[in-house]
Amino acid sequence: MSVKRGLTALFAAAAMLLLIGGCGRQEQSSSYTIYYVNVSGTSLYEVSYVPSAETFDEMVTELIGKMEEIPSDATYTSAIPQTVEFQGYERGIDALRLDFSGEYYDMSNTEEVLLRAAVVKTICQIPGVTKIMITVDTEQLVDANGDAIAAMDAESFIDTKDGGINSYQTASLVLYFPNQDGTQLKKEVRNVDYSSNMVLERVIVEQLIAGSEYSDRSTIFASSVEILDVSTKNGICTIDFSEEFNQTPSENAGSAEAALYAIVDSICETSDNVDGVKFTVEGSGNVLFRDEIDLGSVFIFNQNIIETETLESDMEMSAAGSLAADAEGSGASLDMETEAASGSSSANSSDSSDSDQEAASGSVADSGETEEEIQTEASAVSDGVLAGAN
């Protein structure tokens, strides 16, 4: 009997442990993070919260309501000022639209971005919400320049948790990822807001580590890779990685050359301060990257590894922009040119031929350059434009 009672007690204890463990997992899975602002108003503050809502509408209302509350803990406060009223939301096709009152525009730059970051990071945890669009009095939010701020997700905001935020900067990053077969690079433009305490080059590499938003791109890094240090001096950006940098991702990996130049081309095209990139692993530059590429030198922008389709698309966009600018300029000066032509045609009709010949023969001499020099300069300018477009 004692043995049976012992086994019964043992089974009961095991069942209780399973029950407790199951409850623990369930509670953890239903836990959300509410984002507030620290008391100095410089960075986000995370607080774990378990909502009681059961439906989508109830969840949005409860989480926003929790964000609006003034916390009892004096170390942090609501990211939504009391003067700014949440006016409701609408489920759109591409994003959940959250509407705020007109006092939204009375906030400082840092307050505004922290509010956006807190709201987006909190509400994007709700299943089915991938992006948030903020409207003010039902009109899409615009920045200081009057440009509309597109729908955002949690990855749109990059913050240093320790350093806080003195101010936020918005950057349009040009990122390159290996194509599907991993041999060439495809361009991807990504807009992010990042803390002024962060180095732009580090932001670029972190976005590359996060991976592409498109399915026809290959993986660059192993998920465990870490950025140990990023510094730029005399136009050379040096990036120190953990040893995982030298590991080939297990699935859908690009070639060693494509992976390396994905970093180089992304940094060189996005950052105006960088002409070349140098790599170290755990502080050492004496490394053979994936047993193929010596990291002992400085790497510069490589146009040849970018997909031809990407280059042609960039050139077409550049040409279209130039034509639009020319058309606008010619339209503005058309009246002036017509007036000048009509006013001078009768007076100059008798000697226009001689003056045209004189101008043609004297143009090179007046500039102090030969025809060959002018053609050389024109070619250089053309090459520069193409390089810039690429």
Side-chain angles (χ1 to χ4, degrees):
M1 289 292 291
S2 61
V3 174
K4 292 179 68 177
R5 281 199 298 271
L7 288 173
T8 302
L10 180 62
F11 289 144
M16 181 64 70
L17 286 174
L18 287 173
L19 180 61
I20 294 172
C23 289
R25 284 192 296 272
Q26 183 177 1
E27 181 177 345
Q28 184 177 4
S29 64
S30 60
S31 177
Y32 283 66
T33 298
I34 305 295
Y35 288 86
Y36 296 93
V37 175
N38 66 355
V39 69
S40 60
T42 58
S43 64
L44 297 179
Y45 190 97
E46 301 176 7
V47 176
S48 181
Y49 175 72
V50 179
S52 58
E54 297 181 355
T55 67
F56 181 89
D57 292 338
E58 290 174 350
M59 185 69 76
V60 174
T61 302
E62 182 174 346
L63 293 185
I64 290 291
K66 193 66 181 176
M67 292 187 68
E68 291 180 314
E69 288 181 6
I70 303 300
S72 57
D73 190 334
T75 59
Y76 60 93
T77 187
S78 173
I80 305 174
Q82 289 182 291
T83 55
V84 178
E85 180 184 353
F86 175 64
Q87 301 184 143
Y89 65 93
E90 179 186 4
R91 299 183 74 170
I93 298 175
D94 56 344
L96 180 68
R97 300 181 179 93
L98 304 179
D99 189 56
F100 292 90
S101 63
E103 289 78 10
Y104 186 101
Y105 286 118
D106 294 336
M107 291 185 291
S108 68
N109 178 64
T110 300
E111 288 176 327
E112 189 276 324
V113 178
L114 284 172
L115 183 153
R116 268 197 290 139
V119 168
V120 171
K121 285 174 173 285
T122 299
I123 303 302
C124 274
Q125 297 172 84
I126 300 175
V129 178
T130 56
K131 290 195 174 185
I132 300 289
M133 177 180 289
I134 290 180
T135 60
V136 178
D137 287 336
T138 71
E139 297 292 331
Q140 187 172 354
L141 177 66
V142 296
D143 60 21
N145 297 319
D147 298 324
I149 296 178
M152 301 154 284
D153 58 23
E155 301 303 319
S156 299
F157 301 92
I158 306 168
D159 181 22
T160 52
K161 291 185 178 179
D162 298 329
I165 302 168
N166 291 326
S167 63
Y168 255 105
Q169 302 179 74
T170 300
S172 182
L173 309 181
V174 178
L175 305 177
Y176 285 97
F177 291 92
N179 59 9
Q180 208 155 26
D181 62 14
T183 58
Q184 290 190 298
L185 302 179
K186 296 175 74 72
K187 186 164 85 170
E188 185 174 318
V189 178
R190 187 175 301 175
N191 295 318
V192 299
D193 291 296
Y194 67 99
S195 168
S196 59
N197 295 337
M198 298 187 70
V199 179
L200 175 61
E201 291 75 29
R202 185 185 188 96
V203 174
I204 295 169
V205 179
E206 287 183 348
Q207 292 298 298
L208 292 172
I209 292 175
S212 173
E213 298 177 350
Y214 301 95
S215 59
D216 62 341
R217 313 291 203 265
S218 297
T219 304
I220 302 175
F221 300 102
S223 59
S224 55
V225 68
E226 295 182 14
I227 306 170
L228 302 182
D229 187 54
V230 179
S231 61
T232 299
K233 184 177 181 180
N234 298 327
I236 304 302
C237 177
T238 302
I239 309 173
D240 187 33
F241 286 98
S242 63
E243 60 184 8
E244 289 82 6
F245 173 71
N246 221 0
Q247 296 177 2
T248 303
S250 57
E251 296 180 3
N252 194 30
S255 68
E257 182 185 29
L260 202 65
Y261 278 105
I263 307 169
V264 175
D265 284 10
S266 296
I267 291 177
C268 286
E269 183 157 348
T270 301
S271 177
D272 295 332
N273 302 320
V274 176
D275 301 314
V277 179
K278 185 173 177 58
F279 298 94
T280 58
V281 178
E282 303 282 353
S284 173
N286 186 24
V287 176
L288 198 63
F289 180 60
R290 298 180 186 172
D291 298 323
E292 293 183 39
I293 303 174
D294 186 358
L295 298 183
S297 59
V298 175
F299 296 84
I300 62 174
F301 187 86
N302 183 359
Q303 179 177 299
N304 295 327
I305 200 170
I306 301 173
E307 261 192 2
T308 304
E309 180 182 348
T310 299
L311 293 175
E312 290 175 347
S313 175
D314 287 348
M315 291 176 65
E316 288 173 1
M317 291 177 63
S318 177
S322 298
L323 288 173
D326 290 344
E328 182 179 354
S330 62
S333 61
L334 181 60
D335 293 339
M336 294 177 63
E337 291 176 353
T338 303
E339 182 180 353
S342 62
S344 61
S345 59
S346 58
N348 295 332
S349 59
S350 59
D351 58 351
S352 60
S353 177
D354 293 338
S355 61
D356 289 345
Q357 291 178 0
E358 182 179 351
S361 61
S363 59
V364 175
D366 291 341
S367 65
E369 299 178 351
T370 66
E371 292 183 1
E372 182 178 354
E373 290 172 334
I374 291 176
Q375 291 175 354
T376 302
E377 288 179 3
S379 176
V381 170
S382 176
D383 292 340
V385 170
L386 289 177
N390 294 330

